[in-house]
Amino acid sequence: MALLFNDPLASDAHFLPGDATEPIFASRAILIPTSPFFDRMFRGALARPSSPTKPIELPAWSHDIFVLALVHCYTDWLPGSPLPDSIKPALSKLAVDPADLDVDDWRSMMKFAGMLECPRLASAARSQAVALIDEELKTITLAGSEAKKE
């Protein structure tokens, strides 16, 4: 399924996250079973057919967070684990790398995963945020210890 990720020819939905300039393409058939949010969006009482020209706008969510959430939907990838090799070319083309995310990004991913009702993704994003906070705390503590020695 990763080979179909962000493929306009294999997609029946496209999204425009808040800071994106180009749409991100996805398949409803992949998104619906992976997220109750997407199920309601595409099959719920207020669902409408996707417009072939107008993307679904998600202004509150960043490009990188949205793309990585879709990677989870397509591959079951979780933050903190290696990315599947099959998805790496698409992420490279989109200039998205989970290693570039900071604490605030992971917190945003946690909130977005909560909205998507993907608890495993939310938990893994939380773990990434906590790990980065722990690193920052160790650096601050070490700097404080060295300052006291002087």
Side-chain angles (χ1 to χ4, degrees):
M1 292 218 228
L3 296 176
L4 301 175
F5 180 79
N6 199 37
D7 182 344
L9 298 177
S11 301
D12 54 3
H14 55 296
F15 300 87
L16 195 61
D19 58 349
T21 56
E22 296 292 323
I24 306 300
F25 296 91
S27 168
R28 292 175 177 212
I30 292 171
L31 299 181
I32 288 170
T34 61
S35 164
F37 173 84
F38 286 127
D39 185 39
R40 285 189 303 278
M41 176 186 280
F42 295 126
R43 299 187 327 158
L46 300 176
R48 288 180 263 154
S50 289
S51 165
T53 57
K54 186 174 185 319
I56 298 166
E57 294 182 15
L58 298 168
W61 306 106
S62 78
H63 172 266
D64 292 2
I65 298 306
F66 184 76
V67 167
L68 291 173
L70 287 187
V71 169
H72 170 73
C73 292
Y74 271 74
T75 68
D76 204 33
W77 168 81
L78 290 171
S81 63
L83 286 163
D85 289 337
S86 58
I87 204 79
K88 289 178 181 178
L91 290 182
S92 178
K93 195 182 277 190
L94 292 167
V96 174
D97 184 345
D100 295 338
L101 272 57
D102 62 21
V103 172
D104 292 332
D105 294 325
W106 287 117
R107 288 185 58 171
S108 182
M109 170 67 85
M110 189 174 64
K111 291 176 186 176
F112 187 53
M115 184 182 87
L116 296 178
E117 299 177 59
C118 295
R120 291 175 50 242
L121 179 58
S123 178
R126 180 191 152 286
S127 294
Q128 293 300 109
V130 168
L132 289 175
I133 290 169
D134 283 347
E135 280 182 37
E136 288 177 11
L137 183 58
K138 286 176 188 172
T139 302
I140 291 167
T141 303
L142 182 61
S145 296
E146 290 176 3
K148 285 182 181 179
K149 289 179 184 176
E150 295 172 2

